[in-house]
Structures are given as structure tokens and as C-alpha cells.
Amino acid sequence: MRKKIRVLIVDDSAVARQTLDEVLSADPGIEVMAKASDPLIAVKKIKKEVPDVIILDVEMPRMDGITFLQKIMSQHPIPVVMCSALTEKGCETTLKALEYGAIDIITKPKLGVKDFLKESRIIICDAVKAASRARVKRIAKGISSIRNRVEKKLTADVVLPPPTG
């Protein structure tokens, strides 16, 4: 029998934490090992027991989820699934989360979070299972932007010889 995937839920909303706990605990392959209302509480829990996956909100008191993600991935990489209303497709927060090492992004609606999480049970559990199999790497502490690491591209004018005649 395979061991269960241990998940830490980090979200300032008690409703979101409780609903995610119910959704994940209903899957026989997943165990919610702990819940935290902010990243500083999460750090204490991680020091006691390291989870296989973290589900992380963005907007929280004392430290935002993006800063926490960056710290995790630079110090002790753990697969992270972002679950926030602030991670809409293509927005800067989403791009930063992916840049800093988030494995997957689940965008919560601003209203009706409890119903959305229950209806998205399969998506959430699949995201956690996929994240648990990911090989995460430590990122540089001073990472500022992925654009700084992209090699310069050459244009066709540089690559092709000038036309003759």
C-alpha cells in the first residue's frame, strides 16, 4: 500500500482551510497533516514535520504567499500548489508564482469559495497528486525576474546573409 500524500494548507480564510481539508481528506491517497492561517504559523509546522505538498493562498496577514513561496523554494524546496483569487490567468501574481516554483495554480473565485472548492474536488486532488511527484529545485535567493536569465535571441537579419542582386 502506498503512503498517503501529506498536505499542509496555508490560507487565512477559515472557510477555505476547512473546505480544502474536507475535499483532500475525502481522497484515500491524501492526508491533511496540518493547516495554518498564515506563513509564519506554517513555518513552525514545517519545522516539526515536512509536508509532501503545500496548498498556498496569496493574500494573507504578516507575509504574502508569493514571498513565502520564494523563501520556501530558496531554502527548503517543497512542491507548492497556489490556490488564490489573485492568481488569474496571465496576471503578474500568477507569473511570479510560476517563476518562483509553484507547480500548479488553482484560481478561487472572489465569491462562493466553499462551493467552488467542493465542485473542484477532482481538480484539486489531481493537482496535489501531480505536485507530489514533481522534482522541485532550489531557486536563487536573489531571483528578480526570469527575464534576466533568458538568453538574447538573434533576429533573422543577423542569422541570414544579406540578399544579393
Side-chain angles (χ1 to χ4, degrees):
M1 184 172 146
R2 294 183 63 162
K3 81 173 189 136
K4 290 185 176 190
I5 299 164
R6 295 171 311 125
V7 179
L8 169 61
I9 299 168
V10 186
D11 196 311
D12 62 325
S13 164
V15 171
R17 284 193 312 272
Q18 184 58 39
T19 307
L20 282 167
D21 188 353
E22 291 169 13
V23 165
L24 294 170
S25 296
D27 188 300
I30 300 173
E31 170 190 346
V32 175
M33 59 164 268
K35 296 179 278 186
S37 59
D38 71 49
L40 300 181
I41 295 170
V43 168
K44 291 177 185 173
K45 294 184 183 287
I46 291 170
K47 285 181 180 178
K48 291 180 184 174
E49 184 180 7
V50 178
D52 298 317
V53 176
I54 296 173
I55 292 189
L56 182 60
D57 189 15
V58 172
E59 196 170 51
M60 292 179 285
R62 302 200 293 171
M63 181 188 297
D64 67 273
I66 298 297
T67 303
F68 183 55
L69 173 65
Q70 190 176 11
K71 289 180 181 293
I72 289 170
M73 299 311 270
S74 68
Q75 296 171 9
H76 189 281
I78 298 170
V80 173
V81 174
M82 299 301 295
C83 187
S84 173
L86 299 178
T87 53
E88 295 170 347
K89 187 174 183 178
C91 79
E92 186 177 345
T93 303
T94 303
L95 297 175
K96 280 191 182 289
L98 293 170
E99 178 181 341
Y100 296 150
I103 302 299
D104 204 348
I105 307 282
I106 297 169
T107 304
K108 295 187 292 192
K110 293 181 182 10
L111 300 171
V113 173
K114 184 175 183 176
D115 290 336
F116 168 80
L117 293 174
K118 286 185 175 187
E119 291 168 7
S120 303
R121 169 176 270 127
I122 294 170
I123 293 168
I124 294 167
C125 291
D126 285 351
V128 166
K129 290 173 183 176
S132 74
R133 293 187 298 271
R135 291 187 185 145
V136 292
K137 293 182 179 178
R138 188 179 309 262
I139 62 166
K141 279 190 180 183
I143 188 170
S144 60
S145 174
I146 200 162
R147 284 177 233 108
N148 294 338
R149 297 188 315 262
V150 175
E151 290 182 28
K152 193 173 186 178
K153 302 289 183 216
L154 300 176
T155 66
D157 293 339
V158 175
V159 177
L160 300 174
T164 56

